[in-house]
C-alpha cells in the first residue's frame, strides 16, 4: 500500500483526491454496476421489443458500452498507479459523461431512460472530489447536455429552453448537495477519529497511573470477580499466581462478613 500512501500524500495535484482508496474503489464498482445495468436494459429491450429496435443504433450502444467497460477495466487493473494523479480519476468521470451523452443520443433524446446517469455521475464525483470536483463535472456535463439538446431541438420543439434551464440547474444543484454532503461526512469521520485518538490517550494515561501508583489497586464487578489489578498488588499480597478473573473472596476470605457476590456493591 506504499504507492497509495504516496498518492494521498502528494499535495501538488490541483485536482486532489480527497477520499481514501477503499472509498474510490467502491465508487468505481458502482460505476461499473451502472454500465452493467445499461447493458441489461438494452438487452431486455432488444428481446421484448425486437420490432421497434434500430439495430444500427443498437450496435452503437453496444460499442459505447464496450469502450466504457474497457476503460474501467484498465482503471481497476492499474488502480494503485492511477491513484498517483487525481487527473486520471477525474478523466474517467469526464469520459463517462461523453459515454452517457452518446448513449442518450443513440437511444433518443426526448425519450431516453438513461438521462439520470448524468446526475449519478455527478453525485459519485462529489464523493471523490468533494464540492469543487462535482461542480467542475457539472459544468462539463452541462456543456455536452446542452449540445445534445440543441442537436435534438426539432424533436423537442419549444421545450428546448425549459429543458436546458431545468436540467442544467439540476446538475449544479446536485453537484453542490453531493459535495456538501461528502464534506460533512468527511468532517464527521475526522472528528470521530480525533475523539477516538483522544480517548486512547486518556486510556493510556489512566493505565500508566494505575500501573505506577504507590499502593495496591484492583477493580471488581458486581459479582466480586477481579477485572483488573496493578502489579504492586501481587507484591503486597506476596502472590505470584494469576488472580485475574478470580473472585475476591478467594483472595480476601474475611470480606465474606460484609460482601456477598449476589449483593450489589
Amino acid at each position: 500500500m506504499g504507492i497509495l500512501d504516496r498518492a494521498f500524500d502528494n499535495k501538488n495535484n490541483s485536482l486532489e483526491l480527497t477520499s481514501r482508496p477503499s472509498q474510490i474503489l467502491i465508487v468505481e464498482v458502482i460505476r461499473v454496476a451502472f454500465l452493467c445495468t445499461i447493458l441489461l436494459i438494452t438487452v431486455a429491450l432488444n428481446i421484448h421489443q425486437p420490432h421497434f429496435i434500430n439495430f444500427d443504433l443498437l450496435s452503437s450502444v453496444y460499442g459505447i458500452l464496450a469502450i466504457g467497460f474497457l476503460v474501467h477495466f484498465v482503471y481497476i487493473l492499474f488502480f494503485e498507479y492511477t491513484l498517483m494523479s487525481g487527473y486520471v480519476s477525474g478523466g474517467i468521470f469526464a469520459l463517462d459523461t461523453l459515454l452517457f451523452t452518446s448513449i442518450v443520443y443513440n437511444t433518443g433524446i426526448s425519450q431516453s431512460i438513461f438521462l439520470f446517469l448524468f446526475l449519478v455521475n455527478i453525485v459519485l464525483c462529489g464523493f471523490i472530489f468533494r464540492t469543487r470536483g462535482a461542480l467542475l463535472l457539472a459544468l462539463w456535463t452541462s456543456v455536452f447536455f446542452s449540445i445534445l439538446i440543441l442537436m435534438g431541438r426539432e424533436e423537442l420543439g419549444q421545450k428546448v429552453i425549459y429543458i436546458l434551464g431545468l436540467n442544467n440547474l439540476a446538475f449544479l444543484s446536485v453537484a453542490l448537495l453531493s459535495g456538501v454532503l461528502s464534506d460533512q461526512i468527511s468532517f464527521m469521520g475526522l472528528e470521530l477519529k480525533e475523539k477516538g485518538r483522544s480517548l486512547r490517550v486518556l486510556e493510556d494515561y489512566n493505565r500508566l497511573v494505575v500501573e505506577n501508583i504507590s499502593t495496591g489497586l484492583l477493580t471488581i464487578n458486581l459479582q466480586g470477580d477481579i477485572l483488573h489489578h496493578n502489579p504492586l498488588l501481587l507484591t503486597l499480597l506476596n502472590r505470584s499466581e494469576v488472580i485475574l478473573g478470580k473472585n475476591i473472596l478467594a483472595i480476601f476470605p474475611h470480606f465474606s462478613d460484609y460482601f456477598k457476590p449476589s449483593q450489589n456493591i
Side-chain angles (χ1 to χ4, degrees), residues 6-118:
R6 290 196 298 272
F8 284 89
D9 288 338
N10 182 13
K11 300 300 181 182
N12 296 323
N13 263 337
S14 59
L15 189 60
E16 183 183 351
L17 289 166
T18 53
S19 296
R20 304 311 300 171
S22 58
Q23 296 172 312
I24 297 175
L25 189 58
I26 291 173
V27 168
E28 178 62 21
V29 170
I30 294 174
R31 285 152 63 176
V32 173
F34 272 106
L35 289 178
C36 293
T37 302
I38 298 173
L39 178 61
L40 292 175
I41 292 174
T42 305
V43 171
L45 290 175
N46 187 21
I47 294 174
H48 292 287
Q49 297 180 345
H51 301 294
F52 298 95
I53 299 296
N54 186 323
F55 289 98
D56 292 333
L57 294 179
L58 194 62
S59 61
S60 299
V61 173
Y62 285 135
I64 295 167
L65 290 174
I67 294 173
F69 280 117
L70 177 62
V71 170
H72 286 280
F73 173 76
V74 172
Y75 180 81
I76 294 175
L77 185 64
F78 298 99
F79 184 66
E80 291 189 354
Y81 299 97
T82 54
L83 289 180
M84 296 297 292
S85 172
Y87 291 107
V88 176
S89 296
I92 299 296
F93 282 104
L95 179 61
D96 279 347
T97 298
L98 294 178
L99 294 178
F100 296 153
T101 302
S102 301
I103 290 173
V104 171
Y105 175 77
N106 282 281
T107 55
I109 299 172
S110 62
Q111 298 180 347
S112 177
I113 61 175
F114 299 118
L115 288 171
F116 74 96
L117 291 172
F118 290 118

Side-chain angles (χ1 to χ4, degrees), residues 4 31 70 121 123 131 135 139 144 162 174 179 197 244 263:
L4 297 181
R31 285 152 63 176
L70 177 62
N121 198 37
V123 169
T131 305
L135 286 174
L139 292 174
F144 285 93
Y162 173 77
V174 168
R197 187 181 297 113
L244 200 65
Q263 177 183 345

Side-chain angles (χ1 to χ4, degrees), residues 40-261:
L40 292 175
I41 292 174
T42 305
V43 171
L45 290 175
N46 187 21
I47 294 174
H48 292 287
Q49 297 180 345
H51 301 294
F52 298 95
I53 299 296
N54 186 323
F55 289 98
D56 292 333
L57 294 179
L58 194 62
S59 61
S60 299
V61 173
Y62 285 135
I64 295 167
L65 290 174
I67 294 173
F69 280 117
L70 177 62
V71 170
H72 286 280
F73 173 76
V74 172
Y75 180 81
I76 294 175
L77 185 64
F78 298 99
F79 184 66
E80 291 189 354
Y81 299 97
T82 54
L83 289 180
M84 296 297 292
S85 172
Y87 291 107
V88 176
S89 296
I92 299 296
F93 282 104
L95 179 61
D96 279 347
T97 298
L98 294 178
L99 294 178
F100 296 153
T101 302
S102 301
I103 290 173
V104 171
Y105 175 77
N106 282 281
T107 55
I109 299 172
S110 62
Q111 298 180 347
S112 177
I113 61 175
F114 299 118
L115 288 171
F116 74 96
L117 291 172
F118 290 118
L119 298 177
V120 172
N121 198 37
I122 294 172
V123 169
L124 294 177
C125 181
F127 280 108
I128 300 300
F129 293 102
R130 305 291 189 260
T131 305
R132 180 188 178 191
L135 286 174
L136 286 174
L137 185 64
L139 292 174
W140 174 262
T141 303
S142 179
V143 170
F144 285 93
F145 180 80
S146 299
I147 294 173
L148 187 66
I149 294 299
L150 292 175
M151 290 174 63
R153 62 183 180 273
E154 295 181 358
E155 180 183 352
L156 297 172
Q158 297 179 349
K159 297 185 294 183
V160 170
I161 301 300
Y162 173 77
I163 293 175
L164 278 175
L166 183 63
N167 282 276
N168 286 329
L169 179 62
F171 294 152
L172 294 175
S173 299
V174 168
L176 283 172
L177 289 174
S178 65
V180 170
L181 178 61
S182 182
D183 289 336
Q184 290 299 316
I185 292 175
S186 177
F187 174 76
M188 288 188 292
L190 291 174
E191 195 173 45
L192 288 174
K193 187 180 295 184
E194 185 62 31
K195 288 183 178 178
R197 187 181 297 113
S198 300
L199 182 60
R200 286 192 297 271
V201 170
L202 289 175
E203 289 176 345
D204 291 340
Y205 176 75
N206 180 68
R207 186 178 298 108
L208 184 64
V209 171
V210 170
E211 296 292 336
N212 292 278
I213 196 170
S214 59
T215 186
L217 184 144
L218 62 81
T219 58
I220 60 176
N221 60 17
L222 296 178
Q223 287 72 42
D225 299 322
I226 298 174
L227 302 178
H228 178 75
H229 64 82
N230 63 350
L232 185 59
L233 179 70
L234 295 178
T235 302
L236 294 175
L237 296 176
N238 195 25
R239 288 175 174 270
S240 59
E241 75 275 14
V242 177
I243 66 172
L244 200 65
K246 291 184 177 181
N247 194 275
I248 192 172
L249 296 181
I251 311 299
F252 304 103
H254 56 282
F255 278 16
S256 60
D257 296 337
Y258 55 88
F259 172 78
K260 295 180 179 179

